[in-house]
Amino acid sequence: MGYIDHASVVKRMSGRMIVNKIFKVIFLVATLFALLTLGVLFYRIISQGIGFLTPDFFMNFSSRFPEKAGIKAALVGSLWMMAVVAPVSLILGVGSAIYLEEYATKNKINSFIRMNIANLAGVPSVVFGLLGLTIFVRALSLGNSILAAGFTMSLLILPVIVVASQESIRAVPKDLREASYAMGATKWQTIAKVVLPSAIPGILTGGILALSRAIGETAPLVVIGIPVIIQFLPDNFLSQFTAMPMQIFDWAKRPQEAYQSVAAAGIIVLVIFLLAMNSIAVIIRNKFQKRY
């Protein structure tokens, strides 16, 4: 300890403390700026659109008169689309994660597959729209139907669900698996009775957050040719439909000033849906989360 230069240590620590305070202020300012921007955006949307949130807004179809325009077709169409997206994406995503984590061997090919699945989660959504246009709309001749849109959106969020499910399955302690095997359970029994129940909070949280992304995406729907105005409700999965993002997009680009308020009302409805789905994800995580 006699070789330590206390003056040099104090000088260096003082410099580090100053740098720490500077970066703390910078990060605080950045956070406050982001929150302020979000607050201004929410205030503008709510102040513009709250006057149009009437029962007629939810019961009417889109109209060339702003005061008669409604979100009924888009709201019902989004629910139909999510009825396709949810089962397809969750079944394929969770199944793929189970295979990659529990059955696939550790080799270069599987490592390459895992890396590319993670990379697909960051691909722009318009690319998935082009893929859906090529495969579902043209090759399978599904047209601009609910099935084509649902399959396209499933491809969009599938990598996110796979990655989230992999992380949740990987977080299950090995001791639980070994205890199950010691009791004579097979591999599938261990996965079904031990691994999946323990990983379900993370899987459902990641899945719901991915579904909330799908319900708010516009670019893939534009690429596959989903119409913006529909004056009827779909009656099957091959029917044409429109979705809330498409309807809002159409209202926002119209030159009449009143339609900006109608678009704001549609945004409020969409944000409520997103907040509700995110809240469900938080509730599920808190209710079923186990600590080992």
Side-chain angles (χ1 to χ4, degrees), residues 116-129:
N116 279 277
I117 289 175
N119 290 336
L120 283 174
V123 172
S125 58
V126 67
V127 176
F128 289 96

Side-chain angles (χ1 to χ4, degrees), residues 28-288:
L28 178 61
V29 171
T31 303
L32 292 177
F33 178 76
L35 292 176
L36 178 62
T37 303
L38 183 63
V40 171
L41 180 62
F42 270 115
Y43 172 76
R44 180 171 176 80
I45 291 173
I46 293 174
S47 61
Q48 273 192 305
I50 195 67
F52 282 84
L53 285 178
T54 62
D56 291 338
F57 181 74
F58 294 93
M59 299 303 297
N60 292 346
F61 294 99
S62 183
S63 172
R64 58 193 181 96
F65 302 105
E67 62 276 4
K68 296 181 179 180
I71 201 171
K72 180 179 180 180
L75 181 59
V76 175
S78 292
L79 295 177
W80 273 82
M81 183 182 70
M82 297 309 295
V84 176
V85 175
V88 172
S89 58
L90 289 176
I91 292 173
L92 292 179
V94 177
S96 300
I98 292 174
Y99 173 77
L100 290 173
E101 289 299 318
E102 300 293 335
Y103 291 100
T105 57
K106 307 295 182 181
N107 54 39
K108 292 183 178 180
I109 296 178
N110 289 328
S111 298
F112 180 76
I113 292 174
R114 291 186 180 93
M115 180 185 67
N116 279 277
I117 289 175
N119 290 336
L120 283 174
V123 172
S125 58
V126 67
V127 176
F128 289 96
L130 293 171
L131 181 62
L133 176 66
T134 303
I135 298 177
F136 304 122
V137 176
R138 294 179 178 173
L140 298 181
S141 300
L142 293 178
N144 50 2
S145 64
I146 296 173
L147 275 182
F151 290 155
T152 302
M153 289 300 187
S154 298
L155 290 179
L156 172 65
I157 65 174
L158 192 59
V160 179
I161 295 178
V162 173
V163 172
S165 300
Q166 281 184 278
E167 294 296 330
S168 300
I169 294 172
R170 197 178 299 142
V172 177
K174 292 184 178 180
D175 296 345
L176 296 179
R177 294 180 174 87
E178 294 173 356
S180 178
Y181 294 143
M183 296 296 293
T186 63
K187 189 175 186 64
W188 172 245
Q189 288 175 331
T190 301
I191 294 172
K193 301 296 185 180
V194 177
V195 176
L196 285 181
S198 302
I200 203 69
I203 292 174
L204 289 181
T205 300
I208 293 174
L209 293 178
L211 292 173
S212 65
R213 178 190 176 187
I215 201 173
E217 280 287 350
T218 308
L221 300 180
V222 173
V223 173
I224 65 177
I226 299 301
V228 295
I229 297 178
I230 290 291
Q231 297 295 330
F232 57 87
L233 297 180
D235 52 8
N236 59 67
F237 288 108
L238 293 177
S239 299
Q240 284 190 335
F241 81 110
T242 189
M244 285 190 287
M246 293 295 298
Q247 189 69 82
I248 295 169
F249 172 73
D250 176 64
W251 286 335
K253 71 178 183 179
R254 295 193 180 189
Q256 297 95 325
E257 185 176 354
Y259 271 112
Q260 307 307 311
S261 298
V262 179
I267 292 172
I268 294 175
V269 176
L270 182 58
V271 168
I272 291 174
F273 264 84
L274 296 177
L275 291 177
M277 295 179 71
N278 292 340
S279 299
I280 293 173
V282 173
I283 293 172
I284 290 175
R285 182 186 62 197
N286 294 337
K287 182 176 179 60
F288 295 101

